[in-house]
Amino acid sequence: MSRSSVTGPDAFTGTTPDTALRTADAEQKGAMLAADGTPLKRSLNRALRAQKLRALALIAPLLLFVVITFIAPIADMLFRSVENQIVVETLPRTVATLDEWDGDGLPDDATFQALSVDLSVAAELKTHTRLGSRLNYENTGLSSLFRKSGRGVDEIGEGYLDQFVAVNPAWEDPLVWAELMGDPAWLAQAREADGAGPRFELAAGIDEILPRTADAYTAFADIVQTVDNDNPADEEPWAIVYQMLYLDLMDAPQIDGPPLLAEAAAAVPGFATFPAREGFAEIDDGWTDPATWRTIKTFSGPYTSGYFLTAADLRLTPDGIQREPEETRIYATLFGRTMFMSLTIMGCCILLGYPIAFLLSNLPMRTSNILLILVLLPFWTSLLVRTSAWKVLLQEQGVINDILVWIGLVSDGNRLALINNQAGTIIAMTHILLPFMILPLYSVMKTIPPSYMRAAKSLGATDWTAFWRVYFPQSVPGIGAGCILVFILSIGYYITPELVGGTTGTFISNRIAYHISQSLNWGLAAALGTILLAFVLALYWIYDRIVGIDNVSLG
Amino acid sequence: MGLPPYASTGQKIWHYTFLVICGLIFFFLIAPIVTIIPLSFNAENFFTFTPGMLAFDPDAYSLKHYRDFFTNPDWQQALANSVRIAPVATLLSVTLGTLAAVGLSQSHVPFRRLIMAILISPMIVPLIISAAGMYFFYSRIGLQGTYLGVVLAHAALGIPFVIITVTATLVGFDRSLTRASANLGAGPVRTFFRVQMPLILPGVISGGLFAFITSFDEVVVVLFVGSAAQKTLPWQMFIGLREQISPTILAVATILVVISIALLTVVELLRRRSERLRGLSPA
């Protein structure tokens, strides 16, 4: 916004509360009173405040609307570019135990046990596949690993289940478990209730005697109630709960609990062991690869710079930041191409726009107004219409190639490939953005007095010198404004490159769209978008310094 | 830019070369739009002039692509959606935008620059970024894939145009008129509707037209925020161009060109009227 704004308080010439206040300030020696007897200064202050509030009240609805419908979405995108809650939300226990792992070899058994609980929960909630896709961006293969493990995780601990049942068949009874783990008051209500019943509550003190079992059983009860809408008192616990019971009983030499528990505690030292680690190795040997674990640990934080690094062709690995291998460095190429093509389009727009703006500003008003319509018509025509026109004209069997063949410039067999490549994008976008170059140039050139050129010529300058030394420097602000406008618009363009650009003429925005709708890597799309946005805002800041956003005119 | 009588041969050659160059550039600007108009009457499903068309054979021309547009349920659905979305979005942005523009034109507005920057931002941010952000955020709050979501998104995109045109009209507004009206006993609401509104109406209408065109022509945001049930005319054209390009697109394009010529005329007339009302000579 330019500082020469006409509506600013300082530019206002009449008496306003503000200027009157200043006058009052300057003149006031004794207390000057307003008509109602209050000191004038206070009365004017009140009026000024009321005026400010009134203005804000008029603006507030729209401001609120824009903040909710537009600013919040942009903020959401910025947030998503660093957000990485999914790992810690899906695998909370695993992430907690991995904290102590030093990254050498495989993590300890506690981690595998934590993973078995987390994965059982995730498999029921079906979040393990999403986590798999997320981690697959960082380590290819993890997607199938998680899918497979989600299917196989309910077998982990089955060995213990069988052994506990062999000791006493009562272990198979859901009610026995509910009595052991649940709060008696909860159980009484749960047995009366239909469906899920009241929310599961752990019996007092059980989490001290059997901490891991209590945790696994709580997770089980929660899933049974929220996902399946069943009563935990009617459902047999997951196999991993038996595994946790085994581990708890092995760790606690002294059990003072119900006889059933004491009986089991006496039996467990004789049990065959089925470590969770081996269970996972059986499902997929990806779990025995330390790289899998290092990836999970590296991306376990709630926020990550991973997406931005990917957007810069870097990769966050457990060993630090590394460059992508040569063949997968696509983003630098893509950003480079976006820059290069935007600059080319901008250059074409100057070349084509300058003569037109010069002609329009030097013709009599009547003629130039008519010719201006030829510039405004494309400006007002639907973008899709212009793109379809180019798609039709530039085809191999299209009008342009037909004419070239007819003239004889090109033989019928060698029709030019004008579409689905960079040439197509540059031609179509130059046409689409040309009015944005001509209009600012024209508005600047109109203000250059023709007498300057005449003066230069009468002082002996040739036509060229007069133009180059006198006229051109005065038109530079217009070129600057037009260039920035065209450049900003073109680096964010999506539709035209998508339709006429093929694979070599696409921009970074096409990649963003691809990640949103096809690869579903939203974080990367958000990171690419954030980089593009930062770039555009920087350019706008420059534009604002040169021309002022207030001076954007709309034809 | 006439040529002086004493111009040398070189100057004459250069002068006419320059005019020819300008002519070619104007041709470049207009030709693509003009070419599709006759092509849309092609009797064949081709995208180029058939020998029959070049010979002006009446049989080579037909209205079949227009007939397809008016009978094909896909296109009719798209047209209906466009007509349902654009006016509502325009109404929203014009109402809120005019109100805010009046507020912004007061002489004392705290944080004016910041507020202006926020209100103009939907025009500055590249559409693909707005679309991505809105897609993420609207899916969170359940607006993605709904009619309301598309209308809100389009209203947000139209607001900068309303703000810019209406504030520009208000710059030339003589504030002593509102004071005179207040002096004669009219309340602020009455003053607004009876004195201020008629004078800034041309600006409001042209801002509304810009907002309407923005929504009617918009495809990136609706592609992401909308679902198949909100498929608009530009969306249908986009699909048509990307997948199975059919000559019906040319008929639709021709209709849209006619609409934009009509809108351009209206905006131009409004601009002149506004300048006359403000006592400025047409610039």
Side-chain angles (χ1 to χ4, degrees):
Chain A
M1 273 144 272
S2 76
R3 272 136 293 261
S4 64
S5 173
V6 189
T7 47
D10 299 320
F12 199 81
T13 44
T15 308
T16 68
D18 197 36
T19 48
L21 204 58
R22 280 180 214 154
T23 321
D25 245 357
E27 291 174 355
Q28 188 189 28
K29 290 288 175 279
M32 197 183 269
L33 298 183
D36 61 354
T38 53
L40 181 62
K41 200 170 167 184
R42 196 192 303 159
S43 163
L44 288 171
N45 257 330
R46 198 188 301 138
L48 182 64
R49 209 163 44 238
Q51 201 181 3
K52 281 185 180 173
L53 279 177
R54 202 162 54 236
L56 279 184
L58 286 170
I59 301 168
L62 181 69
L63 197 61
L64 199 68
F65 182 83
V66 173
V67 166
I68 293 172
T69 58
F70 189 80
I71 304 294
I74 298 292
D76 188 24
M77 186 195 73
L78 300 182
F79 174 67
R80 267 184 205 266
S81 66
V82 292
E83 187 243 33
N84 189 42
Q85 316 273 6
I86 182 168
V87 182
V88 70
E89 269 171 19
T90 320
L91 304 176
R93 299 168 183 85
T94 317
V95 167
T97 51
L98 271 181
D99 259 355
E100 286 147 32
W101 179 52
D102 56 4
D104 276 337
L106 285 176
D108 57 4
D109 284 324
T111 311
F112 279 97
Q113 289 149 15
L115 180 69
S116 64
V117 180
D118 284 337
L119 260 184
S120 301
V121 174
E124 294 289 335
L125 293 170
K126 312 235 182 318
T127 51
H128 65 293
T129 48
R130 275 179 48 216
L131 177 66
S133 328
R134 162 68 189 97
L135 290 174
N136 204 49
Y137 304 141
E138 315 298 343
N139 185 346
T140 321
L142 289 194
S143 179
S144 71
L145 173 68
F146 273 91
R147 255 201 322 274
K148 245 166 120 178
S149 310
R151 286 196 301 268
V153 71
D154 51 356
E155 283 166 26
I156 290 178
E158 280 203 343
Y160 294 114
L161 190 158
D162 296 342
Q163 295 183 75
F164 274 109
V165 174
V167 171
N168 191 335
W171 283 114
E172 236 173 344
D173 185 358
L175 198 57
V176 168
W177 274 101
E179 276 168 352
L180 177 65
M181 307 303 297
D183 186 49
W186 163 80
L187 187 63
Q189 285 176 9
R191 298 189 66 174
E192 301 293 316
D194 292 329
R199 201 178 151 71
F200 174 73
E201 276 168 51
L202 216 50
I206 192 77
D207 53 341
E208 278 164 33
I209 313 171
L210 306 170
R212 282 170 282 195
T213 319
D215 175 47
Y217 190 84
T218 312
F220 154 77
D222 194 41
I223 291 293
V224 165
Q225 289 189 308
T226 54
V227 179
D228 307 332
N229 202 23
D230 281 330
N231 196 328
D234 303 331
E235 298 288 319
E236 192 184 332
W238 299 331
I240 52 151
V241 178
Y242 292 89
Q243 172 197 293
M244 293 305 175
L245 181 64
Y246 167 78
L247 294 166
D248 279 335
L249 290 176
M250 287 295 281
D251 282 359
Q254 221 57 39
I255 291 285
D256 42 340
L260 185 70
L261 203 58
E263 176 195 22
V268 286
F271 277 14
T273 56
F274 301 91
R277 179 198 299 251
E278 282 168 24
F280 276 107
E282 228 167 87
I283 296 172
D284 192 313
D285 51 15
W287 290 114
T288 57
D289 182 0
T292 304
W293 289 99
R294 280 207 290 271
T295 307
I296 296 176
K297 187 176 164 73
T298 311
F299 291 94
S300 61
Y303 300 99
T304 178
S305 56
Y307 296 121
F308 278 103
L309 293 171
T310 310
D313 282 338
L314 299 170
R315 179 174 277 276
L316 186 61
T317 65
D319 312 319
I321 296 168
Q322 288 174 355
R323 293 201 69 177
E324 287 276 354
E326 196 83 51
E327 66 277 7
T328 52
R329 283 181 208 159
I330 54 168
Y331 294 104
T333 324
L334 207 52
F335 273 112
R337 188 203 290 160
T338 307
M339 287 291 138
F340 166 76
M341 288 182 54
S342 299
L343 286 172
T344 313
I345 291 162
M346 186 183 92
C348 292
C349 282
I350 301 176
L351 280 182
L352 299 181
Y354 200 90
I356 293 293
F358 183 81
L359 181 77
L360 287 176
S361 55
N362 284 301
L363 282 175
M365 188 64 80
R366 284 185 71 85
T367 336
S368 73
N369 267 347
I370 292 168
L371 287 178
L372 200 57
I373 291 175
L374 297 184
V375 179
L376 289 177
L377 181 64
F379 183 74
W380 272 90
T381 309
S382 164
L383 167 69
L384 262 299
V385 170
R386 287 180 282 167
T387 308
S388 24
W390 281 112
K391 184 133 185 164
V392 167
L393 294 179
L394 294 174
Q395 281 181 40
E396 208 154 288
Q397 300 299 326
V399 176
I400 291 182
N401 264 314
D402 278 358
I403 292 175
L404 290 178
V405 169
W406 181 67
I407 297 175
L409 276 178
V410 175
S411 75
D412 202 14
N414 292 322
R415 285 170 174 258
L416 300 177
L418 293 171
I419 204 162
N420 295 336
N421 55 23
Q422 296 199 359
T425 308
I426 290 172
I427 295 173
M429 285 192 50
T430 302
H431 178 250
I432 287 164
L433 297 175
L434 191 51
F436 291 97
M437 177 64 87
I438 295 178
L439 294 175
L441 260 178
Y442 172 60
S443 66
V444 167
M445 283 182 179
K446 257 197 329 193
T447 63
I448 303 174
S451 51
Y452 287 11
M453 281 266 272
R454 271 183 246 137
K457 282 184 207 167
S458 77
L459 289 169
T462 60
D463 283 355
W464 171 250
T465 316
F467 169 77
W468 185 245
R469 300 284 300 277
V470 176
Y471 193 90
F472 184 76
Q474 297 183 78
S475 67
V476 166
I479 299 181
C483 282
I484 295 180
L485 200 55
V486 167
F487 189 75
I488 290 174
L489 287 170
S490 81
I491 58 170
Y493 239 66
Y494 167 65
I495 293 296
T496 309
E498 179 77 18
L499 290 174
V500 299
T503 50
T504 57
T506 50
F507 282 11
I508 195 73
S509 40
N510 303 87
R511 198 72 193 168
I512 296 177
Y514 165 79
H515 280 308
I516 295 175
S517 55
Q518 279 166 48
S519 83
L520 303 182
N521 190 349
W522 289 8
L524 184 53
L528 291 171
T530 305
I531 295 173
L532 185 61
L533 180 65
F535 200 77
V536 168
L537 288 183
L539 283 173
Y540 253 99
W541 182 75
I542 298 171
Y543 183 87
D544 189 27
R545 300 309 296 266
I546 296 178
V547 261
I549 287 172
D550 270 356
N551 298 349
V552 178
S553 94
L554 297 166
Chain B
M1 46 187 286
L3 207 55
Y6 49 81
S8 66
T9 322
Q11 280 175 323
K12 275 181 194 159
I13 295 175
W14 169 241
H15 179 75
Y16 290 111
T17 323
F18 179 73
L19 289 185
V20 169
I21 292 173
C22 287
L24 288 175
I25 299 170
F26 277 121
F27 180 77
F28 172 74
L29 270 171
I30 288 299
I33 299 172
V34 174
T35 320
I36 56 169
I37 296 176
L39 280 178
S40 71
F41 295 100
N42 197 336
E44 308 280 339
N45 284 344
F46 290 154
F47 290 97
T48 189
F49 291 98
T50 56
M53 291 181 87
L54 292 174
F56 294 107
D57 177 1
D59 291 342
Y61 293 85
S62 92
L63 289 172
K64 72 174 202 179
H65 303 313
Y66 290 87
R67 208 173 302 127
D68 184 42
F69 171 64
F70 285 109
T71 52
N72 187 323
D74 275 353
W75 284 106
Q76 285 308 300
Q77 176 66 38
L79 179 66
N81 276 333
S82 280
V83 171
R84 276 175 59 223
I85 291 168
V88 182
T90 308
L91 196 69
L92 252 178
S93 32
V94 168
T95 323
L96 293 173
T98 308
L99 212 60
V102 171
L104 278 169
S105 68
Q106 311 261 323
S107 42
H108 299 276
V109 183
F111 312 112
R112 211 185 119 84
R113 276 176 67 83
L114 177 71
I115 291 173
M116 200 71 175
I118 292 176
L119 297 185
I120 300 291
S121 61
M123 193 174 81
I124 296 169
V125 175
L127 276 175
I128 185 71
I129 294 176
S130 316
M134 286 172 172
Y135 179 66
F136 295 147
F137 185 69
Y138 287 12
S139 346
R140 261 188 223 270
I141 58 175
L143 280 177
Q144 201 272 331
T146 63
Y147 170 73
L148 182 66
V150 177
V151 166
L152 291 180
H154 277 184
L157 295 180
I159 279 166
F161 297 97
V162 178
I163 292 283
I164 288 177
T165 48
V166 179
T167 42
T169 323
L170 281 167
V171 166
F173 182 76
D174 186 353
R175 298 172 63 85
S176 52
L177 292 175
T178 51
R179 268 183 240 137
S181 148
N183 216 359
L184 292 168
V189 177
R190 196 179 158 98
T191 305
F192 176 74
F193 281 107
R194 298 295 295 276
V195 178
Q196 201 164 15
M197 193 62 187
L199 284 168
I200 62 168
L201 195 61
V204 174
I205 294 180
S206 64
L209 282 176
F210 273 107
F212 182 83
I213 274 285
T214 308
S215 168
F216 198 73
D217 198 20
E218 206 290 318
V219 52
V220 188
V221 168
V222 78
L223 265 176
F224 287 98
V225 174
S227 64
Q230 284 87 41
K231 195 191 279 178
T232 58
L233 215 46
W235 184 345
Q236 180 68 28
M237 288 180 83
F238 179 72
I239 297 175
L241 284 172
R242 198 164 58 171
E243 282 144 28
Q244 9 70 303
I245 174 159
S246 111
T248 310
I249 286 174
L250 295 181
V252 182
T254 307
I255 294 172
L256 290 180
V257 169
V258 173
I259 294 178
S260 45
I261 291 175
L263 286 179
L264 175 61
T265 318
V266 173
V267 170
E268 184 60 24
L269 290 178
L270 283 173
R271 195 178 61 88
R272 291 190 184 169
R273 183 184 144 80
S274 151
E275 275 168 1
R276 212 171 49 239
L277 280 177
R278 285 156 52 187
L280 303 170
S281 59

